[in-house]
């Protein structure tokens, strides 16, 4: 393996460290923003364990692409340096991109869902009101004449 290929694989491992740091930061932020009694918060250790397994699988996939899965002694060091690089340099820009994506992508989609749910709720309330209005004469007759017929007579 040439020096340039080793350098590219080293940069790839640093990149996987940066991506793993961003992914785990995103996962930790998501867990921290849930309610204290949320099932996500109660199972946080499992979510983080699965997150680390996914990050490790992604790193192995990158190793498989660049070096056919061959592991070198400097790979863990490159990944740890990628994690530290994320924590020192890329933390704030990634958080900014996260806030921008939430503001531009996620909140409008949630707004559309809320509008659809509001409309459906309004339609169901309208149908319920119509049914109650149309059944009013029958309910009056029932309450006026037949309500006491179905009760047990006390002795």
């Amino acid at each position: 393996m040439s020096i340039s290929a080793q350098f590219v694989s080293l940069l790839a491992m640093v990149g996987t460290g940066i991506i793993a740091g961003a992914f785990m930061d995103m996962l930790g932020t998501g867990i921290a923003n849930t309610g204290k009694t949320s099932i996500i918060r109660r199972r946080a250790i499992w979510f983080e364990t699965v997150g680390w397994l996914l990050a490790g699988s992604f790193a192995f996939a990158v190793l498989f692409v660049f070096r056919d899965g061959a592991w070198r002694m400097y790979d863990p060091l490159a990944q740890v340096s990628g994690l530290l690089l994320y924590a020192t340099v890329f933390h704030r820009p990634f958080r900014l991109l996260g806030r921008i994506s939430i503001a531009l992508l996620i909140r409008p989609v949630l707004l559309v869902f809320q509008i659809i749910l509001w409309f459906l709720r309004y339609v169901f309330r309208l149908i319920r009101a119509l049914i109650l209005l149309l059944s009013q004469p029958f309910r009056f007759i029932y309450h006026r004449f037949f309500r006491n017929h179905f009760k047990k007579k006390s002795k």
Side-chain angles (χ1 to χ4, degrees):
M1 180 179 269
S2 68
I3 297 294
S4 64
Q6 286 184 359
F7 185 68
V8 168
S9 66
L10 176 74
L11 288 179
M13 286 295 103
V14 170
T16 60
I18 292 171
I19 290 172
F23 179 68
M24 293 310 294
D25 186 35
M26 177 187 67
L27 192 63
T29 303
I31 290 171
N33 287 334
T34 59
K36 292 189 186 259
T37 59
S38 171
I39 193 165
I40 294 172
R41 171 87 50 104
R42 286 184 280 165
R43 305 286 189 252
I45 189 72
W46 294 106
F47 283 114
E48 289 191 11
T49 303
V50 169
W52 280 113
L53 288 173
L54 287 173
S57 300
F58 174 72
F60 181 73
V62 170
L63 267 176
F64 193 75
V65 167
F66 281 101
R67 283 189 301 214
D68 296 329
W71 184 78
R72 308 271 186 221
M73 289 300 291
Y74 57 82
D75 289 337
L77 182 63
Q79 286 187 318
V80 169
S81 65
L83 285 169
L84 293 174
L85 191 63
Y86 170 77
T88 57
V89 176
F90 294 116
H91 178 73
R92 290 185 191 266
F94 270 76
R95 286 284 180 104
L96 177 66
L97 287 174
R99 286 193 298 271
I100 289 171
S101 66
I102 286 172
L104 292 178
L105 299 175
I106 295 173
R107 285 197 180 140
V109 170
L110 289 177
L111 179 66
V112 168
F113 281 138
Q114 284 178 344
I115 290 171
I116 291 170
L117 286 175
W118 175 81
F119 180 73
L120 290 175
R121 193 176 302 132
Y122 180 75
V123 168
F124 284 131
R125 284 181 184 168
L126 187 65
I127 292 171
R128 181 178 177 263
L130 285 174
I131 290 172
L132 288 175
L133 181 69
L134 294 175
S135 67
Q136 186 67 30
F138 302 109
R139 290 188 312 158
F140 173 75
I141 292 171
Y142 172 77
H143 284 293
R144 179 79 174 149
F145 297 110
F146 298 112
R147 181 174 46 184
N148 295 329
H149 289 291
F150 296 112
K151 290 185 178 178
K152 289 187 177 180
K153 305 218 191 262
S154 61
K155 294 181 180 180

